Amino acid sequence: METILLKAEEKNIVAAEAVLREGDVAAIPTETVYGLAANGLVPSAVRKIFEAKGRPQDNPLILHICSTEMLDDLAEYIPPLALRLAEDFWPGPLTMIFPKKSVVPSETSGGLDTVAVRMPKNDFTLALIKKCGFPLAAPSANTSGLPSPTSAQHVFDDMKGKIPLIIDGGECKYGVESTVISFDGDDRLRILRPGAVTAEMLREYADVIIDDGVLMKIDSDEKVLSPGMKYKHYSPKAQVYILDGSNEKIEIFLSERDSECKTAFLGNGNEKLKEHILRIPYGATSEEQAERLFSGLRYCDEMDCDEVYVRMPDKSGIGLAVYNRLLRSAAFRIIDLKV
Ligand code: TXA
Ligand code: MG
């Protein structure tokens, strides 16, 4: 199959709409990461997403909408708290989980009786959903297990020959996927996956529980609230390790790495590194780190690195999202240099 790249310009909405109406898959830009979209109400279209990604069937997809009216068609019940959050955070990087209506096929919900919904903040994608008139099911547009794509080139690297169309909307603003929440009664919510709508922001609206799956390892046979949490995730071919310690300790640790092994490092930029260590831009703030983590990990593979060390991120704000993704990229390997 030939994979065409088109810019996220108004004149290309028709082409994207045609692909989606045919029941095919198109990659679309969002403010978080690129999505692999299809008509979320048509089982055969949704199955094509799972095929292109190589994604386990029990991992449910998010439905992307362009108006709150569309939500009424999908959710059996919408708590008042959800409406307040939608008012303040949509369009934006917040995904909410609702009991689903029967129009949502079990292919989309991964067999669950709930559905995840979000309104992305991207003009092209919102206009496309409006034109289509149906919600777009869209997981991140990477091959399952690899870091999520934050540019059209990343999507092309993974999906070339597997999907007909990629819409290029430039680099994604946040670089980590949306915050996923579920509701525990009327004034309590649970963060299943942290993102740019942070726990601190959500605490202004309700009691916030951070689900155990956010920071803990989950066995593959364990039942979890968010199935995506249990899979190996966001990992480049290189082995990833988290380094927890001061600049000085990190410098000593890296200087002792074998120079035969191709080693990369993502740090805050002011660590002094020996020449054989490849320094990858990462940044000192959590916002920069969120934006650059996935592209940094993908770059390690481009450079054929054997191992990559990443400085322990700050865990507040969007930093919690960075830490959550990094733990999985590193298969929970943390090297404690504080002792
Ligand atoms: O920012 C994003 O959310 C991106 C863009 C494309 O919108 N999408 C994305 O989708 O990250 P995906 O499929 O890679 O991640 C969706 C996560 C998974 O961890 C999945 O298990 C969880 O949301 N999820 C989806 N539906 C759910 C449901 N009904 N109950 C619990 N978790 C659900
Ligand atoms: Mg994903």
Side-chain angles (χ1 to χ4, degrees), residues 41-250:
L41 303 182
V42 172
S44 58
V46 173
R47 267 184 238 120
K48 288 186 187 168
I49 300 178
F50 283 89
E51 273 162 36
K53 266 186 80 87
R55 177 173 173 117
Q57 301 279 344
D58 69 344
N59 194 1
L61 306 178
I62 296 171
L63 285 179
H64 295 70
I65 59 173
C66 65
S67 67
T68 36
E69 287 74 58
M70 253 178 146
L71 176 62
D72 295 332
D73 300 334
L74 307 171
E76 192 59 56
Y77 170 70
I78 304 167
L81 173 58
L83 287 177
R84 290 202 294 281
L85 293 171
E87 177 85 16
D88 289 1
F89 293 107
W90 279 359
L94 180 67
T95 295
M96 299 192 265
I97 293 173
F98 304 97
K100 77 172 188 76
K101 281 195 171 161
S102 59
V103 283
V104 178
S106 68
E107 280 78 2
T108 297
S109 69
L112 300 174
D113 51 14
T114 53
V115 62
V117 184
R118 94 173 184 102
M119 194 189 292
K121 193 174 168 68
N122 178 285
D123 290 342
F124 180 92
T125 294
L126 285 173
L128 175 62
I129 300 168
K130 192 165 180 204
K131 197 94 198 316
C132 288
F134 47 76
L136 297 179
S140 50
N142 50 291
T143 298
S144 206
L146 295 186
S148 299
T150 58
S151 71
Q153 182 62 48
H154 294 161
V155 180
F156 191 74
D157 292 342
D158 283 17
M159 293 297 149
K160 180 179 41 161
K162 295 184 176 163
I163 61 172
L165 177 65
I166 298 171
I167 298 292
D168 182 355
E171 305 261 325
C172 299
K173 177 172 180 219
Y174 294 110
V176 286
E177 306 86 344
S178 63
T179 307
V180 178
I181 62 169
S182 64
F183 298 96
D184 271 13
D186 278 343
D187 43 21
R188 200 158 64 163
L189 59 85
R190 179 181 289 271
I191 297 183
L192 302 178
R193 181 177 71 181
V197 173
T198 64
E200 292 85 344
M201 293 176 191
L202 292 168
R203 279 196 193 104
E204 301 285 320
Y205 297 80
D207 288 340
V208 172
I209 299 168
I210 299 188
D211 192 71
D212 284 348
V214 169
L215 297 178
M216 281 194 249
K217 199 170 179 168
I218 290 163
D219 289 331
S220 58
D221 54 355
E222 222 171 297
K223 196 166 163 45
V224 283
L225 290 171
S226 183
M229 290 289 185
K230 71 185 181 194
Y231 298 108
K232 178 171 182 277
H233 242 127
Y234 318 118
S235 303
K237 286 192 226 89
Q239 297 285 312
V240 183
Y241 302 86
I242 301 172
L243 290 183
D244 191 9
S246 63
N247 267 18
E248 198 193 348
K249 290 279 174 61
I250 289 177

Side-chain angles (χ1 to χ4, degrees), residues 241-288:
Y241 302 86
I242 301 172
L243 290 183
D244 191 9
S246 63
N247 267 18
E248 198 193 348
K249 290 279 174 61
I250 289 177
E251 286 161 9
I252 295 168
F253 176 88
L254 290 174
S255 73
E256 288 167 355
R257 296 310 302 156
D258 178 0
S259 57
E260 296 294 294
C261 190
K262 197 153 181 198
T263 302
F265 177 64
L266 278 77
N268 58 23
N270 59 22
E271 301 89 351
K272 293 183 203 74
L273 303 179
K274 290 234 167 111
E275 239 156 57
H276 69 280
I277 309 285
L278 175 68
R279 187 196 296 275
I280 294 185
Y282 185 42
T285 67
S286 297
E287 284 73 18
E288 287 169 335

